[in-house]
Every structure is written in structure tokens, then in C-alpha cells.
Amino acid sequence: MAPEEIAELLRKEFGDGVADSKFDTAHPRIGVKPEAWPKIARFLRDDARLGFNFLRCVTALDLLEDDQLSATFDLHAVRLPAKEGADCELVHGLCVEVRTPRNDPRIPSVADVWRAADWHEREAYDLMGILFENHPDSVIGPKGRHPRRILCPDDWAGHPLRKDYMFPMEYHGIPAVTEMGQTRPVH
Amino acid sequence: MSWIENRLEEGLIVTSLDWAINWGRRYSIWPMTFGLACCAIEMMAIGASRFDVDRFGAGAFRASPRQADLMIVAGTVTYKMASRVKRLYNQMPEPKYVMAMGACTIGGGPYFKNGYHVVKGVDLVVPVDIYVPGCPPRPETLIEGIMRLQDMIKNQTLARDRWQGAKEKVIATTPSFV
């Protein structure tokens, strides 16, 4: 199915849950509201017409101009080979974008729908600070429940890939920023 | 040799003993396998037949810090790794030497300016004896570094042992976390 048809199908099923979509780009994507995302994710996987059984990638974006953070889910529908040794067949692909406000970025986790989302969501939390709610690998932090960090140390402050991130001045006694270094990333 | 170290003036006995001990030490440097990033590939190359660091007595790569004399920090040290580097250094028996291999380890390298996660030089964490520049250094450069370390060991004397005297200082100048 083409992304336009899938968007039409989702709008018929979920109505307001579907946000603005973009189809005239190299990477056509369907916008989805955070509160509707777990239901839509389950529908995308389980509906016989769609059958998106493979989460390829989760990408987090910092949209500083719009004051939003976005998580982009790349989905593939893969048909398993009929006989052993044959290649998997790609039926169709889809990209879903979930946007959330920058000051309180919360998106429900879909790690129970696609297992691949587990580590991807942990990374998106670690580097971009998107709080995936009800993530299976969550810990209690000072600001409440959040997914466990995956790359940075557990006591790291901030989320390094955000555009307004400030580099640490020291970490456990090791000086970090020198007089020649930068205190923030350049984009 | 702790019963003799730092107890005697530099006399005849110590000098001759120095020569024998330093001869033994410098031709049996056992490095620790400590590959953190791409520099480790070059470090593996010196152990293989083409460059064969066994010719200089430094080919016995040990998997445990407790059996090693030389820590070749080969690769990018992140803040997450720094506490492990420190702990491994503390686990090494004396005499112990540290070689900072490659640009990242010497001063942060390409991550010096924009890296939020890289220690700007492993000498902020452990005391470094030899700096081997390069990105990554060629195996010949690393062998040169080992030979310079051998020169350094050659000039050591039991009368002025740097670990016995400097013990307090070395620990105090390095971070005191885990």
C-alpha cells in the first residue's frame, strides 16, 4: 500500500489521532499524535492489510524552531520466505512521525509492539531526552520514571544531542571543557 | 625489591644491582591488552609476525592487569570508561608504566573541541610515561614508543624509586571516584 492509502485508512480508523502528514518528500511520513500512537502501532502491526512486522529504525529529531521533539519510526512489512534459504520479501514501508512538546516530551513506548523499539527508545531518551512512557526497561530518576540510559553513564546530566545542550565542565573530578574547547555544540 | 628501595644512597652496590634489574625489566615489559578503539588494531599488528614486538621482549600481552607492567591505552577514553581505566591502573603491580597511544588518548584528538563525552587526555586520569602520537600511530611508531620506554627504564635506580616515594602524590592527583 502507498503511504497516502495507509494515511486514509488510519484516518478512517482513528480520526483525530492522525496529525499532519507529508507525502511530497523523499521520505514520506504520516504524523501521529502521542496519545494515539500505541493503538495505531498495534493496528499497523496486526491489521492484515498492513502487517508492519519489522521496526527498522527510530530517529529522534530536535526541532528547536518549532519547540518540539520528534521521534520517527521507520516500519517495514516483511513477508517471510516461502521456502528455506530464500530472501525475505519487502511488501511495503512506512514512516511514522510522532511530535511532542519540547518542555515535556512524552511519547508512549511501543517496545511491547516491536521488540526492536526497546534499545532505540533508550537511545532516544539518552541522547535526546524523549521520555518513553511505560518502557519495559525503566528506572526511577529525580524527575520520575524514565527509560534507562544506554550510552552515557547513568549519572550523566542532560541529553547531549539536543541543540541547546551545554557541555559538562567536569565529570567526577576530571576537567572536561578546556579554554580552547567549546561549551556547546554548533549546528 | 621493597626492602632495598629508597634506603641506600646511590653507591656501588645499588648501581650494579640497578643494571641487572633494569636489564631484566626493560626486556620483559608485559603489556596489557587494552584496546578501546581503532588504535587497538595497530596494537594488535605489533604483536603479529610482520612487526613482531616479541623481538623487544614486549610481546606477552596479558589479559589481566595483575600480570602486566605496561598499560597501552589504545583508543578513545570516554568519561564512562575513565573510571575503569583508573581501576585497572590501580590493579597493576608496581613497577607500572602507562603509554598514551594515539591522538584521542593524548589530548582528546578529534573530540577535543566538539566531544562532550571524551576525556581530554588520559593523563587527567592516570599518570602517563610515554606519548605515542598518530591517528592511529603506525606499528613502527608504537615500537619506537616501547623502545623509548626501555630507555626510560634503563635510567631507573633503586635508590630513587618513583613508586615508593610518589605513591601518595600519584593517587592524590588522580580523580578519587570508583
Side-chain angles (χ1 to χ4, degrees):
Chain A
M1 277 172 100
E4 290 89 344
E5 294 170 289
I6 298 170
E8 201 55 46
L9 186 64
L10 289 181
R11 204 163 283 129
K12 211 180 286 172
E13 287 283 333
F14 296 97
D16 285 349
V18 182
D20 299 340
S21 307
K22 252 194 178 149
F23 299 115
D24 55 343
T25 61
H27 198 197
R29 54 188 185 267
I30 295 174
V32 162
K33 284 180 183 156
E35 53 273 12
W37 171 228
K39 270 185 194 159
I40 292 181
R42 212 162 268 282
F43 178 76
L44 287 170
R45 188 193 65 176
D46 295 337
D47 192 83
R49 291 162 290 180
L50 302 169
F52 288 104
N53 50 4
F54 176 41
L55 176 69
R56 194 172 51 145
C57 188
V58 177
T59 313
L61 284 174
D62 187 0
L63 307 164
L64 193 64
E65 315 79 56
D66 301 344
D67 206 27
Q68 276 178 328
L69 290 170
S70 108
T72 311
F73 297 77
D74 272 294
L75 302 168
H76 272 180
V78 176
R79 193 176 293 137
L80 293 174
K83 63 177 195 297
E84 208 172 312
D87 288 337
C88 285
E89 193 193 335
L90 178 68
V91 184
H92 49 227
L94 178 72
C95 179
V96 177
E97 186 180 34
V98 187
R99 288 195 180 198
T100 173
R102 212 161 174 286
N103 51 13
D104 187 26
R106 286 172 190 279
I107 296 174
S109 170
V110 289
D112 55 339
V113 184
W114 297 286
R115 277 300 273 138
D118 185 344
W119 281 19
H120 279 112
E121 288 177 350
R122 277 176 66 192
E123 188 178 349
Y125 170 73
D126 190 0
L127 301 178
M128 211 58 109
I130 301 175
L131 265 148
F132 288 94
E133 289 169 318
N134 299 322
H135 191 273
D137 197 354
S138 288
V139 290
I140 311 275
K143 286 178 189 168
R145 221 169 136 77
H146 61 76
R148 194 154 62 93
R149 283 179 181 269
I150 192 166
L151 295 168
C152 293
D154 288 338
D155 58 351
W156 194 261
H159 303 283
L161 292 194
R162 281 206 189 183
K163 284 181 178 171
D164 57 353
Y165 176 70
M166 299 295 284
F167 289 180
M169 296 306 282
E170 60 98 44
Y171 180 73
H172 285 281
I174 310 172
V177 176
T178 60
E179 70 278 8
M180 287 173 72
Q182 294 173 201
T183 52
R184 53 184 308 154
V186 173
H187 295 282
Chain B
M1 301 296 291
S2 56
W3 57 275
I4 193 169
E5 278 163 355
N6 296 344
R7 289 188 182 200
L8 301 168
E9 296 296 315
E10 286 179 68
L12 182 67
I13 306 169
V14 185
T15 328
S16 308
L17 204 55
D18 271 347
W19 183 86
I21 288 173
N22 290 344
W23 177 79
R25 276 183 183 167
R26 74 176 185 271
Y27 294 124
S28 64
I29 303 170
W30 287 10
M32 183 165 63
T33 55
F34 199 63
L36 295 178
C38 32
C39 277
I41 303 294
E42 303 295 308
M43 190 178 71
M44 288 172 219
I46 67 158
S49 55
R50 189 184 173 96
F51 296 100
D52 195 15
V53 79
D54 256 335
R55 293 176 295 163
F56 308 101
F61 281 90
R62 311 310 295 177
S64 162
R66 291 167 208 281
Q67 300 171 348
D69 306 305
L70 169 65
M71 184 161 86
I72 305 178
V73 187
T76 317
V77 184
T78 57
Y79 289 116
K80 199 175 184 179
M81 197 65 195
S83 60
R84 280 78 163 174
V85 173
K86 180 80 169 72
R87 177 176 286 190
L88 288 169
Y89 177 78
N90 287 340
Q91 285 176 349
M92 282 166 69
E94 289 153 2
K96 53 189 173 186
Y97 308 95
V98 179
M99 182 189 284
M101 179 188 178
C104 300
T105 320
I106 292 171
Y111 309 102
F112 176 75
K113 210 173 172 191
N114 285 313
Y116 56 87
H117 61 306
V118 176
V119 178
K120 313 288 186 267
V122 78
D123 47 6
L124 297 169
V125 185
V126 291
V128 177
D129 296 293
I130 301 283
Y131 295 86
V132 178
C135 187
R138 280 194 59 79
E140 293 96 322
T141 325
L142 189 54
I143 289 174
E144 175 77 15
I146 288 171
M147 288 164 85
R148 292 290 79 77
L149 181 66
Q150 287 175 337
D151 290 349
M152 217 181 85
I153 297 171
K154 197 175 160 185
N155 295 325
Q156 278 179 191
T157 170
L158 288 173
R160 278 182 283 110
D161 183 283
R162 57 179 257 229
W163 292 278
Q164 295 289 322
K167 201 167 188 176
E168 295 301 315
K169 203 179 143 223
V170 167
I171 289 169
T173 51
T174 48
S176 58
F177 60 101
V178 193

